[in-house]
Amino acid sequence: MSKKIKRTKFSTYSEMIDKLEGKNLSIESKALAIELIKSRGYYNLVNRYKHEFYTDKNQYKDNTSIMDLYLFHRMEDDLRNILFRFTINFEQRFKESMSYILAKKFGIYEADYLDPLKYRKNKRNKAISIMGEICDIAFHTSNNPTQYYRKNYDSIPPWIALSNTSLGQARMWFSIFPTNLTEYVVAQLLPIHEFYSYSDADSLYEFKASLISNSELEKIKNDSEYHKIMRERFNIYIDLFKSMLNIIHAFRNNLAHGNRLIHFTVKRSLNINPLRKFASNKVFTDEEYYKKRLSKNDLFAFMVSLMILLDKYDSLYLLDQLKSWKERNSKDPKMELSFEQFINSCNLPLDFIERLSYISTERVYQNNNQRKLTDLGFYPNENDS
């Protein structure tokens, strides 16, 4: 049996309001209601949020007003703007790590880093396709700074070429990186520097070594087996990073197009085992993860990913922005009630901001490192000043 197609119908603003009143929505001022619909659109204001206020009979719950819908819209709009800003910050950090290691290992000239033969052999066809796309950007885009470099410099270095790629294109480029380049980027963005090191390689090696217990060390026969285990264990964190990157990319596209955050999820999930290195039970419990899917592929997983991958300053600034957003929307009992309802609709715990503060970010390790350096005499003690 074919699905019945609904018929589209034009309605005047007055007719829209009458329809809403017929569904038990409280309209205190018809003029104000029309202005809200004119500025936001009926679909964006009403259809997006009606099911959060509906009864089983497709009627609005008693005492629901159009201002409740407006508050939902405004809260989601503000949250979307906050999160989008920090996805841009993450994107800049990600591209910087990529461009640095590309320039260091392959070189700054196009022929050096755009050669598909330098990327993963088992992804040769993919590498050829991606490098062709990047070449097109490097040699034909009219956007700056790439166009400026093309006209005024002897090369378009990777940090310039990446500046005019989308996050999706950068992500595809990263997917063909050789293992050593992949490890560098992951080590830079995941907060894994638990000890002070004089080089990135030392920090990465120390983290890999921390993944093997003393009891396991006693059973390892030789260096080859030891390095194999380290590599396999760290690959789990590479996969975690790629899952986070996938989630951030999907939510970034959602945010950029002004789509709903409420009920939005991603196909790829975060693996709880490596995630526990950065997010303890204070962030989410095992039961919440497995039964409620909290921090698996949802909005909270997106926020957790941002907190972990942003630098030490942005992670704290994100928390500050979320706290301010909550305060603005909880000024009186009615607004606070609407805010809690909005948070529930997003499938977030009411204390989600506090939970995010327990994530092990780069800031935590930096503080630990500075204390260690102070003890070693590298930094003056505050008491010595």
Side-chain angles (χ1 to χ4, degrees), residues 193 195-208:
H193 306 289
F195 308 97
Y196 178 77
S197 295
Y198 289 98
S199 72
D200 298 318
D202 288 341
S203 290
L204 179 56
Y205 185 86
E206 288 170 358
F207 180 78
K208 287 181 178 179

Side-chain angles (χ1 to χ4, degrees), residues 150-336:
R150 192 166 62 238
K151 292 180 178 179
N152 297 281
Y153 287 84
D154 65 343
S155 72
I156 302 170
W159 58 88
I160 296 300
L162 270 163
S163 67
N164 285 125
T165 62
S166 67
L167 178 57
Q169 290 168 325
R171 179 176 158 233
M172 293 302 292
W173 192 349
F174 175 71
S175 72
I176 60 172
F177 268 26
T179 300
N180 60 332
L181 273 66
T182 299
E183 288 188 346
Y184 171 83
V185 173
V186 173
Q188 288 302 300
L189 271 72
L190 283 179
I192 65 175
H193 306 289
E194 299 184 55
F195 308 97
Y196 178 77
S197 295
Y198 289 98
S199 72
D200 298 318
D202 288 341
S203 290
L204 179 56
Y205 185 86
E206 288 170 358
F207 180 78
K208 287 181 178 179
S210 74
L211 302 176
I212 303 176
S213 66
N214 290 330
S215 60
E216 288 178 306
L217 278 174
E218 296 175 358
K219 300 176 183 178
I220 295 176
K221 299 175 182 179
N222 50 54
D223 286 348
S224 178
E225 183 180 353
Y226 175 72
H227 288 291
K228 180 183 177 182
I229 293 173
M230 278 205 310
R231 186 168 58 252
E232 289 174 349
R233 297 280 171 88
F234 189 66
N235 281 342
I236 297 174
Y237 288 88
I238 291 176
D239 288 339
L240 173 67
F241 174 80
K242 289 181 177 179
S243 295
M244 290 179 169
L245 180 57
N246 177 273
I247 288 174
I248 291 174
H249 179 230
F251 270 91
R252 185 201 183 286
N253 288 344
N254 176 279
L255 295 167
H257 291 94
N259 296 328
R260 296 181 67 186
L261 282 173
I262 297 176
H263 308 310
F264 182 75
T265 56
V266 180
K267 289 182 180 179
R268 189 163 177 172
S269 300
L270 300 182
N271 184 341
I272 190 173
N273 294 323
L275 186 59
R276 277 287 180 237
K277 191 78 172 176
F278 315 106
S280 69
N281 284 323
K282 289 184 177 181
V283 182
F284 62 89
T285 65
D286 287 6
E287 183 179 10
E288 287 175 323
Y289 177 87
Y290 288 111
K291 291 187 177 181
K292 298 181 180 179
R293 302 183 65 83
L294 183 67
S295 199
K296 204 165 191 177
N297 61 346
D298 58 354
L299 178 59
F300 195 58
F302 170 49
M303 293 181 180
V304 166
S305 298
L306 281 178
M307 282 293 298
I308 291 172
L309 297 179
L310 287 169
D311 69 29
K312 58 193 174 186
Y313 303 109
D314 278 341
S315 59
L316 290 179
Y317 192 33
L318 172 56
L319 282 177
D320 181 68
Q321 292 293 295
L322 290 173
K323 289 175 184 176
S324 298
W325 168 71
K326 179 181 178 180
E327 290 172 2
R328 287 196 305 272
N329 290 286
S330 306
K331 291 181 178 179
D332 57 61
K334 180 173 175 56
M335 288 183 68
E336 187 172 9

